[in-house]
Amino acid sequence: MAQTKFSAGERVAITRAVGFSASAAACRIVAALPRDSGPQQYRVRSDSEGFDRIIDEARLEARLHE
């Protein structure tokens, strides 16, 4: 498997959350999804939500401070 930008357990923020209610609140990477074609995607979970989201890598940024 190719190297990904984020690893499972890493804290990130969702950016450019247009069209749905996800905010830039803290999330954690659950898993990097297999990449056959298209952008790298990740399964992420927000601290304030009880479900996972699938988000493109371009819409995630590392959280340097908690």
Side-chain angles (χ1 to χ4, degrees):
M1 181 177 206
Q3 184 70 19
T4 58
K5 184 175 179 180
F6 302 107
S7 303
E10 192 170 344
R11 307 294 270 172
V12 295
I14 300 172
T15 61
R16 292 180 266 158
V18 177
F20 62 94
S21 63
S23 68
C27 295
R28 93 181 141 74
I29 300 291
V30 175
L33 300 178
R35 184 176 179 196
D36 294 326
S37 63
Q40 176 65 54
Q41 294 183 316
Y42 296 85
R43 181 177 302 277
V44 301
R45 181 170 286 230
S46 169
D47 294 340
S48 61
E49 297 174 331
F51 56 90
D52 294 349
R53 294 180 183 271
I54 304 299
I55 304 289
D56 290 352
E57 184 174 83
R59 294 183 60 199
L60 298 173
E61 64 182 29
R63 292 193 50 110
L64 301 176
H65 305 287
E66 282 303 309

